[in-house]
């Protein structure tokens, strides 16, 4: 016998829920801190816009850009934001995956990013865990923190960096350029 489930379920990405169900304004109102001057490359990866996601533009998604800007982040131009990181190619065709990730890291650095923020844990791992191997292979000097978008949202909402795992990153996000929201508002 096999299991059957016949109830309709809408599967949604957490980004869709945060931006379209809760709203950027409400999240920003709840935030304790703003990312003033933190230059962010928003990396969507190749899966979020395929095959049926309808909450963002397929070729030029902007929901994460808008969310991070709403929290005070300085979102840099990042034309590689929907390019593939190679996913599981890192285990089968490592040379191809290393090249793809080198291009993603280089583009973020060329556009002045302090950090790449991603939506996909596999993208996060590929971009973070293989930087030393990429550096060795391509003679590069990548040392860019890669964080999952909910880590930055949590930080803005006042969750301690340790609880968010920011101290466990292979390349720590040091000095995330946070300023207390009250101090920023008082200065305005």
């Amino acid at each position: 016998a096999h299991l059957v489930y016949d109830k309709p379920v809408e599967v949604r990405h957490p980004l869709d829920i945060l931006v379209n169900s809760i709203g950027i304004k409400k999240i920003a109102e709840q935030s304790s801190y703003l990312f003033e001057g933190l230059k962010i490359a928003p990396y969507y990866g190749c899966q979020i816009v395929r095959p049926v996601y309808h909450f963002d533009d397929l070729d030029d998604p902007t929901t994460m850009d808008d969310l991070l800007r709403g929290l005070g982040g300085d979102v840099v131009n990042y034309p590689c934001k929907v390019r593939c990181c190679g996913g599981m190619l890192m285990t089968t065709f490592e040379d191809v995956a290393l090249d793809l990730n080198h291009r993603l890291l280089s583009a973020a650095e060329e556009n002045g990013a302090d950090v790449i923020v991603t939506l996909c844990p596999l993208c996060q791992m590929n971009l973070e865990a293989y930087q030393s191997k990429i550096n060795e292979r391509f003679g590069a000097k990548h040392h860019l923190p890669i964080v999952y978008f909910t880590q930055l949202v949590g930080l803005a909402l006042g969750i301690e960096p340790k609880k968010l795992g920011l101290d466990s990153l292979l390349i720590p996000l040091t000095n995330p350029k946070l300023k207390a929201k009250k101090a920023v508002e008082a200065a305005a």
Side-chain angles (χ1 to χ4, degrees):
H2 63 281
L3 299 175
V4 176
Y5 185 80
D6 62 358
K7 304 293 181 206
V9 174
E10 182 182 8
V11 178
R12 296 175 65 199
H13 192 278
L15 178 64
D16 178 22
I17 294 167
L18 287 173
V19 172
N20 295 312
S21 293
I22 297 171
I24 295 170
K25 184 177 178 185
K26 187 170 186 175
I27 294 168
E29 288 170 355
Q30 299 294 316
S31 68
S32 305
Y33 298 94
L34 295 172
F35 303 108
E36 189 168 283
L38 183 65
K39 295 186 182 307
I40 302 169
Y43 179 56
Y44 292 78
C46 64
Q47 294 296 312
I48 188 68
V49 293
R50 294 170 183 86
V52 294
Y53 282 108
H54 58 275
F55 71 90
D56 212 334
D57 184 272
L58 297 178
D59 298 314
D60 186 23
T62 59
T63 51
M64 184 167 46
D65 302 48
D66 297 340
L67 175 60
L68 296 170
R69 273 192 198 102
L71 295 172
D74 181 3
V75 176
V76 301
N77 178 39
Y78 191 52
C80 295
K81 65 181 169 181
V82 293
R83 291 210 175 151
C84 183
C85 74
M88 291 304 297
L89 288 176
M90 203 59 88
T91 61
T92 55
F93 294 99
E94 186 179 86
D95 288 347
V96 173
L98 291 174
D99 181 57
L100 291 170
N101 283 271
H102 172 57
R103 291 170 190 239
L104 294 170
L105 292 164
S106 296
E109 291 167 349
E110 287 165 11
N111 285 289
D114 297 317
V115 62
I116 293 177
V117 180
T118 184
L119 300 174
C120 169
L122 183 56
C123 295
Q124 193 273 342
M125 186 197 73
N126 279 344
L127 285 165
E128 180 186 44
Y130 294 96
Q131 284 189 42
S132 59
K133 198 173 242 188
I134 292 166
N135 288 342
E136 184 179 312
R137 175 169 172 103
F138 296 97
K141 294 182 180 175
H142 302 302
H143 190 75
L144 199 59
I146 315 295
V147 301
Y148 196 64
F149 84 104
T150 53
Q151 289 176 297
L152 276 192
V153 172
L155 199 55
L157 293 174
I159 299 173
E160 294 175 36
K162 188 172 181 81
K163 286 186 178 179
L164 293 167
L166 292 175
D167 62 332
S168 300
L169 296 171
L170 296 176
I171 301 169
L173 179 61
T174 55
N175 186 11
K177 299 180 182 178
L178 282 177
K179 289 200 175 185
K181 195 174 187 181
K182 289 178 184 169
V184 171
E185 289 170 353

